Structures are given as C-alpha cells and as structure tokens.
Amino acid sequence: MSAPDNSRRTPVPWVAMYHSVGDCSEDPYRITVTPERLEKQLMWLRRRGLRGVSMAKLLAARARGEGRNLVGLTFDDGYADFLTEALPVLRRHRCTATLFVLPGRFGGDNAWDPLGPRKPLLTADGICRAAYEGVEIGSHGLTHVDLTKADDLTLKAETVESRAALTALLGTEIDGFCYPYGTIDQRAMDAVREAGYSYACAIDPGSLNGLHALPRLHIGQGDNFLRMHLKYRLHRLRRQPVEGLR
C-alpha cells in the first residue's frame, strides 16, 4: 500500500498579483494601486504574522516544508513606477517580490491596453537596478500576447526567446514565467515547461495544476483590510492544493 500524498492536503500558497503602483484616477482595467494603498495592504500582512516574498523564496521555503507564514508578491508587466513607487514601500516592510517583465518592450509602454492611459515600462537598465535591489526577475513573455492564441513560432519566441534575453541581460538563469492576461491551456503550459522555467503563474488555471499553473489573486485599489482578509480565507477554500508542492 502506497504512502498517502500529504502534499495534496497542503494549503495552496497565497500569491498576490499587482501591476502598476501610482495614480489610479484613470484606471479602466483596475491594474493600479496607490503607494498608500500598497502600504496598508502590506501592513495587513504584517499584522497577521505574514510576510511578502518573491516567488523564488516562497517556493524554496515550501519545498523545505516551511514558509507557511509567507505569501508571494508579484508585479506584472514591468512598469517604470515599480522602482519609484512600489520598491520603497516594499523596503519599508522588509518584503521582496517577483517582477515579471517583457524584454521585447523595454522602455516602451502598455500598448496592449487600448482603453487605459499609456504607462511607461522599465528600460533594461531599470530591470538591472531592480535585480540589484534583490527583486526576482521573471518573464511575462516577450511582447505580452495571449499564449493560448499564439502560433507555434510566436509561442516559442514568447517563452524561449524571452528567457534567453533576460538571462543574457542579468547573467543569471530565469526560473519564473507569468502568462500574459493570465490565460493558460495545456499547450501553453507545456511550452513554458519545455522552455526551462521551473514555475509559472496564472490567475485561474482551471483544471490545470502544478508548479507551471500556480493560481494568484488580483489585488486592487479597493482591497482594504476586510477585503484582504476575505480574499486570503476564500483563496485557500476555493483552490485545490498544487501538485508537486509541499
């Protein structure tokens, strides 16, 4: 008789998904929180005995059977305001984070969001500075396309070439990937795994499970202490444990 798989009963990690930090007066996609709101959300974590860390630190701790007091902090797209607005708040609360960036759009803007204001993205130098400050850098693809709709050549470029570009820039292996728009299917997940990433973040992966289909929670400007508490509790009730994660 085989031993029970205890990892299947381990609560799913809580991973927060952020984007831009700054002025949210014009924010049709709800991708922005103010620095003041981020500050309050990190204070909520601290009061609960929780600490925000990068995905690399979170997954390493969980692999050791530790880190139940850790939550993942992720920032998608690589907005320039990460350095000026988000990083100082993270430092004050002794938190780390993972920044998922687009090497095909360094120094550009969020052109994939037609309704919202144009927001500048970090340059290559900005990405290097974030890494120097202890931020984990991961790939968000090359140019921010829906991988579930990409042809084979585009899928390879968005996964393989984006990882190669970041590795060349930073001189270190890139372990993490984040699916643009959060969309995922088996083909996209297989491509990400085959490209050499050790984990990948989605939003709601549906029936897909594992380290390359990690669920996350969108955190927005409207998430006060009560909403943070509800999201924290409901996430663990609604999500099944991640296969292969202790």
Side-chain angles (χ1 to χ4, degrees):
M1 181 176 179
S2 61
D5 185 1
N6 293 326
S7 68
R8 293 287 298 171
R9 295 194 295 272
T10 302
V12 62
W14 200 77
V15 181
M17 177 183 67
Y18 289 95
H19 290 80
S20 174
V21 180
D23 178 17
C24 61
S25 58
E26 186 181 357
D27 189 31
Y29 295 102
R30 299 187 301 114
I31 63 167
T32 308
V33 298
T34 63
E36 294 77 16
R37 178 60 76 186
L38 176 61
E39 184 103 41
K40 291 178 180 179
Q41 291 165 346
L42 297 184
M43 286 175 60
W44 177 86
L45 292 179
R46 187 172 63 186
R47 289 176 181 176
R48 290 189 60 87
L50 303 171
R51 184 165 66 91
V53 297
S54 67
M55 290 302 300
K57 289 186 177 182
L58 173 65
L59 294 176
R62 293 295 291 260
R64 298 190 301 268
E66 302 170 356
R68 296 301 187 268
N69 66 325
L70 302 180
V71 301
L73 297 180
T74 63
F75 291 78
D76 291 8
D77 303 331
Y79 290 101
D81 57 33
F82 178 84
L83 286 181
T84 58
E85 306 296 340
L87 191 56
V89 180
L90 292 169
R91 281 194 196 125
R92 283 197 294 275
H93 290 270
R94 298 182 180 179
C95 293
T96 59
T98 299
L99 181 64
F100 291 112
V101 301
L102 300 153
R105 292 188 183 271
F106 285 164
D109 61 32
N110 57 329
W112 61 88
D113 288 336
L115 300 181
R118 297 280 65 80
K119 288 177 172 282
L121 305 178
L122 288 167
T123 63
D125 286 344
I127 299 299
C128 291
R129 179 181 164 191
Y132 179 79
E133 295 287 347
V135 176
E136 180 193 12
I137 304 299
S139 172
H140 197 28
L142 198 62
T143 59
H144 205 288
V145 301
D146 184 343
L147 299 189
T148 65
K149 299 176 182 178
D151 59 35
D152 290 344
L153 288 177
T154 301
L155 184 59
K156 183 175 181 180
E158 294 290 326
T159 55
V160 175
E161 293 181 20
S162 66
R163 185 169 189 254
L166 291 174
T167 297
L169 175 67
L170 299 173
T172 185
E173 290 296 325
I174 302 301
D175 292 326
F177 187 88
C178 173
Y179 299 94
Y181 305 104
T183 55
I184 179 175
D185 60 12
Q186 187 68 53
R187 174 172 167 267
M189 189 173 75
D190 290 345
V192 168
R193 184 190 296 112
E194 291 166 6
Y197 299 95
S198 60
Y199 75 86
C201 291
I203 299 176
D204 183 359
S207 61
L208 298 176
N209 196 311
L211 287 173
H212 293 86
L214 293 169
R216 294 184 297 167
L217 277 169
H218 167 76
I219 303 297
Q221 180 67 11
D223 289 318
N224 55 23
F225 284 0
L226 176 59
R227 286 174 58 88
M228 292 286 286
H229 174 74
L230 291 174
K231 284 189 172 185
Y232 182 78
R233 296 285 296 175
L234 291 175
H235 179 73
R236 295 193 167 205
L237 291 173
R238 292 174 55 211
R239 303 293 187 186
Q240 61 179 316
V242 176
E243 296 174 0
L245 185 64
R246 297 172 62 185

